[in-house]
């Protein structure tokens, strides 16, 4: 294996470009000792709500907590079921399980790799409370199709936007479509903190106030606990860092889109299958995932050329050991399973250099030749 010369993602380049702004923001928090919640976290909440285009954003400590609080605010609890795509990061399902409810897994489409609206209805039971759609890899799911099924059956639709900051469906920002939008700011996301962070966006004040209480130990007034709560506050340091990064997110998004569209247009190897991006969406290419029949061979080929690739995700949710008690079997979600067996994530991040992009494209086109 050659020395890695092109990383799948390199966060050091962003820090080198903007380290003075980041350091100044951190210094302001330290001088005011506003470390847990507080003015800097609150300021970011207002800025992020405006960016998404909703009245409210509730900052929390990570994206998994965002999913948990969203489910609680939507009234999900023991005995309920929530439909979740089989092809997603496991945290989508955790948000349901933490409430005592059961995630019900649905297959993805064979081309967009997003939740398949046509497969949802067969999974609805009298216990079904709602649907979580995931804008996976930065590609919006078919919100119109999912919403139509939800409305027919009186279900909520929540969005998992952890990989899709700034993506659009029919011209609208993700996070402004459903009842809730759940975001992660984990390092490596399109908008990321210097550690952990998350947010829930919504249009209803009642949801926002409930989640604000829940994340703050169940308090509206300090030391008066109205319900069982959690310590899910967004740290002030992360809020300050995110306020800096948010200024650059439109610029980073444009660059991701430039690189993603170059890959789509210039990688022409018939051995490589790429995700389909419908015309009514604007993806933001958090991850550029491909399918390759002989995955291990391709990974070794790229590694030997000094290019780092990853797997997102090698085991679909319904086949994870943690959910073995739900008794899913291989073959239950064939499209998600095929993707899991053949997925490879290519390098893509805003600071990629032109020669690096060209190198990845050339290697992909030369594979198997």
């Amino acid at each position: 294996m050659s020395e890695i010369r092109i990383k799948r993602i390199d966060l050091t380049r962003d820090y080198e470009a903007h380290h003075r702004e980041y350091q100044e923001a951190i210094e302001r928090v330290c001088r005011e000792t506003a470390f847990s919640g507080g003015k800097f976290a609150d300021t970011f909440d207002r800025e992020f709500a405006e960016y998404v285009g909703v009245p409210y954003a509730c900052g929390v400590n990570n994206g998994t907590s965002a999913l948990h609080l969203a489910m609680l605010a939507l009234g999900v609890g023991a005995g309920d079921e929530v439909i979740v795509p089989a092809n997603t990061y496991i945290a989508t399902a955790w948000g349901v399980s933490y409430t005592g409810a059961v995630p019900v897994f649905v297959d993805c489409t064979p081309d967009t790799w997003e939740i398949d609206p046509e497969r949802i209805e067969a999974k609805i039971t009298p216990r079904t409370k709602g649907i979580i759609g995931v804008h996976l890899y930065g590609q919006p799911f078919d919100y119109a199709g999912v919403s139509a099924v939800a409305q027919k059956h009186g279900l909520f639709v929540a969005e998992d936007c952890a990989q899709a900051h700034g993506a659009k469906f029919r011209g609208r920002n993700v996070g402004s479509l459903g009842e809730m939008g759940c975001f992660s700011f984990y390092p490596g996301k399109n908008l990321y903190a210097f550690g952990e962070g998350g947010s829930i966006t919504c249009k209803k004040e009642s949801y926002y106030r409930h989640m604000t209480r829940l994340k703050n130990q169940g308090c509206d007034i300090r030391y008066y606990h109205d319900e069982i709560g959690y310590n899910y506050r967004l740290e002030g340091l992360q809020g300050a860092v995110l306020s800096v990064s948010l200024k650059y997110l439109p610029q980073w998004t444009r660059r991701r889109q430039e690189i993603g569209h170059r890959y789509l247009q210039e990688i022409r190897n018939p051995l490589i299958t790429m995700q389909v991006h419908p015309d009514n969406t604007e993806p933001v290419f958090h991850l550029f995932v491909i399918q390759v029949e002989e995955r291990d061979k391709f990974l070794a080929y790229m590694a030997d050329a000094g290019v780092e690739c990853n797997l997102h995700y090698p085991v679909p949710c319904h086949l994870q050991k943690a959910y073995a008690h739900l008794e899913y079997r291989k073959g239950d979600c064939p499209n998600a399973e095929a993707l899991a067996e053949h997925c490879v994530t290519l390098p893509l991040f805003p600071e990629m250099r032109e020669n690096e992009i060209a190198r990845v494209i050339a290697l992909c086109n030369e594979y198997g030749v």
Side-chain angles (χ1 to χ4, degrees):
M1 181 183 296
S2 300
E3 179 185 355
I4 295 297
R5 294 187 295 277
I6 302 177
K7 294 183 178 181
R8 212 282 297 166
I9 183 170
D10 187 350
L11 300 182
T12 63
R13 296 181 185 180
D14 169 45
Y15 183 73
E16 289 169 358
H18 304 114
H19 69 276
R20 288 185 180 176
E21 286 181 86
Y22 288 129
Q23 292 290 354
E24 288 171 0
I26 291 169
E27 177 68 17
R28 287 194 293 272
V29 178
C30 292
R31 287 188 180 279
E32 298 197 32
T33 64
F35 297 123
S36 182
K39 63 180 287 187
F40 296 98
D42 293 344
T43 295
F44 172 72
D45 282 348
R46 291 191 294 271
E47 293 169 345
F48 191 63
E50 182 178 0
Y51 172 81
V52 172
V54 294
Y56 305 105
C58 181
V60 291
N61 58 338
N62 58 59
T64 307
S65 297
L67 288 156
H68 183 198
L69 292 192
M71 293 301 100
L72 290 173
L74 287 165
V76 175
D80 293 329
E81 295 176 349
V82 177
I83 290 171
V84 175
N87 176 38
T88 183
Y89 182 60
I90 197 68
T92 310
W94 289 163
V96 176
S97 295
Y98 290 170
T99 70
V102 176
V104 175
F105 297 109
V106 170
D107 205 2
C108 61
T109 69
D111 51 2
T112 67
W113 308 335
E114 307 292 335
I115 190 169
D116 187 344
E118 295 184 3
R119 295 174 183 260
I120 293 174
E121 200 155 22
K123 298 295 185 80
I124 294 173
T125 75
R127 296 182 297 277
T128 306
K129 195 87 169 184
I131 305 165
I132 302 178
V134 182
H135 305 295
L136 198 67
Y137 314 140
Q139 167 58 45
F141 68 87
D142 179 5
Y143 179 77
V146 172
S147 180
V149 177
Q151 289 178 20
K152 179 180 177 181
H153 294 275
L155 308 175
F156 69 73
V157 178
E159 304 170 69
D160 183 337
C161 312
Q163 301 182 359
H165 317 68
K168 298 180 186 295
F169 180 83
R170 294 183 177 176
R172 293 175 59 191
N173 279 336
V174 303
S176 70
L177 305 170
E179 290 293 308
M180 302 277 189
C182 301
F183 290 83
S184 168
F185 305 127
Y186 180 81
K189 302 293 187 185
N190 293 29
L191 177 66
Y192 67 93
F194 284 10
E196 301 280 355
S199 183
I200 313 109
T201 55
C202 62
K203 297 182 278 290
K204 293 183 180 179
E205 184 179 5
S206 59
Y207 289 157
Y208 171 73
R209 291 194 178 281
H210 190 190
M211 291 185 294
T212 300
R213 181 194 309 140
L214 287 170
K215 76 176 182 181
N216 192 35
Q217 305 287 13
C219 291
D220 288 327
I221 301 171
R222 194 176 187 186
Y223 302 131
Y224 291 83
H225 306 274
D226 299 325
E227 61 182 311
I228 294 173
Y230 306 87
N231 185 6
Y232 283 178
R233 291 182 294 270
L234 178 68
E235 293 180 349
L237 288 170
Q238 305 303 348
V241 166
L242 287 162
S243 287
V244 173
S245 295
L246 186 59
K247 295 189 300 183
Y248 296 101
L249 182 57
Q251 172 186 323
W252 295 339
T253 299
R254 287 191 296 271
R255 181 58 172 162
R256 283 181 179 275
Q257 291 170 331
E258 288 173 5
I259 299 168
H261 286 296
R262 279 199 62 185
Y263 283 176
L264 289 170
Q265 294 163 9
E266 298 180 35
I267 296 174
R268 302 188 180 93
N269 192 329
L271 298 176
I272 294 173
T273 300
M274 292 183 282
Q275 186 180 27
V276 169
H277 304 279
D279 291 340
N280 64 354
T281 66
E282 295 177 38
V284 291
F285 300 101
H286 169 61
L287 300 172
F288 198 95
V289 176
I290 62 173
Q291 288 197 64
V292 185
E293 191 65 30
E294 298 182 80
R295 178 171 64 194
D296 291 345
K297 179 180 176 181
F298 181 84
L299 288 169
Y301 163 80
M302 295 296 276
D304 286 343
V307 177
E308 179 184 37
C309 297
N310 295 147
L311 304 181
H312 295 85
Y313 301 96
V315 181
C317 291
H318 68 294
L319 298 181
Q320 293 284 354
K321 186 176 179 180
Y323 286 120
H325 63 284
L326 298 180
E327 299 184 342
Y328 286 89
R329 296 289 182 265
K330 191 168 184 180
D332 287 343
C333 297
N335 294 327
E337 292 162 24
L339 180 60
E341 291 170 1
H342 302 107
C343 64
V344 174
T345 306
L346 300 179
L348 195 158
F349 54 97
E351 297 81 17
M352 279 188 80
R353 300 173 182 127
E354 291 301 315
N355 65 315
E356 294 172 331
I357 300 166
R359 177 66 172 157
V360 171
I361 293 169
L363 285 169
C364 285
N365 284 331
E366 292 164 8
Y367 172 69
V369 175

